[in-house]
Amino acid sequence: MSDDLDSISRRTLAHYERNAQGFFAGTIDHDVSQNVTALLDAIEAPAPFTLLDLGCGPGRDLKTFTGLGHRAIGLDGAAEFAAMARAYSGCEVWHQDFLHLDLPPALFDGVFANASLFHVPSAALPGVLAALYGTLKHGGVLFSSNPRGHNEEGWNGARYGSYHDYPAWERYLVAAGFVPLHHYYRPPGVPREQQPWLASLWRKPRNVIQRTELGANPVQDGASIPTEEDSS
């Protein structure tokens, strides 16, 4: 099974390697300030923060985080993206496949996974979330945004995607130990069927008591908070 998952990852990454320059040109001007603010506002540690941009691509959001005074480290599975992100942002960038993460323990105040985790096959997702949980400090925050669906997964051209609804996504995150903070859909101001993106924020508990008390009562889908999210 692991060979199959590795093949999925390699094929998806190969697409980004081939299209890195076009992806940079097509996404560099995307406004994801609402997502950046959502993560930073949820972190309760004193600033400046140490942040991991998971799936950093060419480095757009790394540059934003450092411009706000934080220490940002990027990670991407595409070697071309990692090189571009180092050059564009001036940040440290790690070249790692999501399926084989090697992350330092309890280093980060926040993880920014903007339009990246949906590429992880559902069979591999628990392991990836465990690695992210481990690299966050106690009380740290994971932000994710993904195109939502009805829990289907498969190939979209040369890229693999897993398209979860909120209840399924919550089950994965809570099982990994995270406490749900809030979630929202994008774009705002339109009917739900015209909001294809799901963003959510999750905290690594400060202690076992918090995990037991809060993690046992996950947020219901009707409790979503309508704010803004962008695709990449």
Side-chain angles (χ1 to χ4, degrees):
M1 182 60 168
S2 63
D3 288 342
D4 293 335
L5 294 176
D6 285 340
S7 295
I8 288 170
S9 182
R10 286 194 297 268
R11 180 175 167 186
T12 300
L13 290 171
H15 167 83
Y16 286 112
E17 297 280 11
R18 291 192 303 269
N19 296 282
Q21 294 295 335
F23 184 90
F24 180 78
T27 61
I28 188 61
D29 293 326
H30 285 188
D31 180 7
V32 296
S33 58
Q34 184 67 39
N35 295 340
V36 169
T37 299
L39 172 63
L40 299 180
D41 284 353
I43 298 173
E44 296 177 341
F49 308 136
T50 300
L51 305 170
L52 176 64
D53 187 352
L54 184 79
C56 64
R60 178 198 62 207
D61 302 328
L62 287 171
K63 195 166 187 177
T64 296
F65 286 126
T66 56
L68 293 171
H70 304 288
R71 178 196 179 198
I73 296 173
L75 185 151
D76 207 280
E80 184 67 16
F81 276 164
M84 292 169 69
R86 291 186 196 104
Y88 181 72
S89 70
C91 294
E92 181 178 359
V93 179
W94 301 336
H95 177 216
Q96 295 186 25
D97 189 313
F98 285 11
L99 304 191
H100 301 283
L101 293 173
D102 182 15
L103 302 175
L107 176 63
F108 295 101
D109 298 294
V111 173
F112 190 66
N114 192 69
S116 58
L117 284 174
F118 79 97
H119 286 310
V120 177
S122 60
L125 187 57
V128 174
L129 294 177
L132 299 181
Y133 185 92
T135 204
L136 279 167
K137 299 175 183 176
H138 290 286
V141 176
L142 167 64
F143 169 89
S144 73
S145 72
N146 297 303
R148 65 188 182 94
H150 301 287
N151 306 312
E152 69 274 21
E153 60 185 293
W155 291 101
N156 181 7
R159 297 181 296 175
Y160 193 90
S162 300
Y163 306 100
H164 304 284
D165 60 18
Y166 179 77
W169 187 243
E170 182 186 67
R171 285 193 293 272
Y172 280 108
L173 273 291
V174 171
F178 289 96
V179 174
L181 297 178
H182 67 85
H183 68 283
Y184 54 87
Y185 298 92
R186 162 79 182 175
V190 296
R192 183 59 52 81
E193 60 268 19
Q194 297 176 31
Q195 295 175 314
W197 288 86
L198 167 64
S200 55
L201 292 107
W202 310 85
R203 192 179 308 283
K204 178 177 179 177
R206 296 172 193 82
N207 52 55
V208 174
I209 293 175
Q210 185 192 30
R211 175 175 176 177
T212 302
E213 290 178 347
L214 299 181
N217 297 290
V219 175
Q220 298 302 309
D221 195 49
S224 61
I225 298 174
T227 54
E228 198 173 21
E229 196 271 345
D230 206 349
S231 61
S232 58

